[in-house]
Amino acid sequence: MAGKFTDSKGREWLLTLSAPLCKSIKQRLGISLTDLRSEVFNQLSTDPILLVDTLWLICERQAVERGMSDIDFGESMVDCIDDAVVALEVAIVDLFPTAKRSLLRSLQAKNQEMIQNASQAALKDLEANQPQIEAAIAKKTRQEMLRLLESTDS
């Protein structure tokens, strides 16, 4: 089962990895999709440019067949990044032997759960501290305005 996602223009992309393709991605982008000890999933999900470059290398043949450049491809990634990350994770897991896949899928699910919980906790903290945050921003803005006014008086 290959990973797949649909871009913002409605085109479906099939993500299928092979050892030579993973080697090429490692050489060109410096990330190892098969090193399970690395932070590759977190790195890709927090760096949209690296993610899109990785997706481009995986989908390049499909894109060229469709007459697309890497710029066209990157621009079509708007609003589909989350689906693309999931598809990439599926493709990476599918590269491993069958016996390892169920363990990797369980680890992925647990990782996703932890990320969602952390995001919800951070949002809750942000909402709980919103008055203090707004006051700090207002104070900093006033200080900066005063500093600018003083520098124009000199």
Side-chain angles (χ1 to χ4, degrees):
M1 175 172 89
K4 61 183 169 181
F5 70 97
T6 303
D7 70 16
S8 61
K9 307 268 189 205
R11 293 175 292 234
E12 188 173 88
W13 298 93
L14 189 62
L15 304 184
T16 305
L17 291 173
S18 64
L21 180 55
C22 288
K23 184 177 179 181
S24 175
I25 290 169
K26 185 175 183 178
Q27 290 171 340
R28 292 169 75 178
L29 300 178
I31 59 168
S32 175
L33 297 178
T34 58
D35 183 358
L36 300 178
R37 296 172 306 232
S38 74
E39 292 290 318
V40 71
F41 291 119
N42 291 334
Q43 191 177 4
L44 289 168
S45 65
T46 59
D47 185 344
I49 294 169
L50 181 62
L51 174 63
V52 171
D53 285 347
T54 302
L55 292 169
W56 166 254
L57 293 176
I58 297 168
C59 297
E60 187 173 12
R61 283 186 183 160
Q62 295 171 70
V64 169
E65 287 173 3
R66 295 173 181 178
M68 296 174 66
S69 70
D70 59 333
I71 303 292
D72 299 327
F73 180 81
E75 289 174 349
S76 73
M77 293 296 106
V78 177
D79 297 329
C80 68
I81 291 291
D82 291 336
D83 292 340
V85 169
V86 171
L88 181 56
E89 289 175 352
V90 168
I92 291 169
V93 168
D94 286 348
L95 189 62
F96 286 88
T98 306
K100 219 176 213 183
R101 290 181 193 166
S102 63
L103 173 63
L104 292 173
R105 285 195 177 96
S106 294
L107 289 171
Q108 279 180 321
K110 193 59 161 169
N111 189 43
Q112 274 305 114
E113 181 184 330
M114 288 173 27
I115 289 169
Q116 286 178 332
N117 289 343
S119 294
Q120 288 173 351
L123 185 57
K124 190 175 181 181
D125 286 347
L126 185 62
E127 289 170 351
N129 295 308
Q130 187 169 351
Q132 296 91 333
I133 293 168
E134 289 175 355
I137 291 170
K139 180 180 178 183
K140 188 70 173 170
T141 302
R142 282 192 302 277
Q143 290 172 340
E144 187 61 22
M145 287 174 52
L146 289 172
R147 187 188 68 74
L148 288 172
L149 288 172
E150 289 173 359
S151 69
T152 57
D153 288 342
S154 321

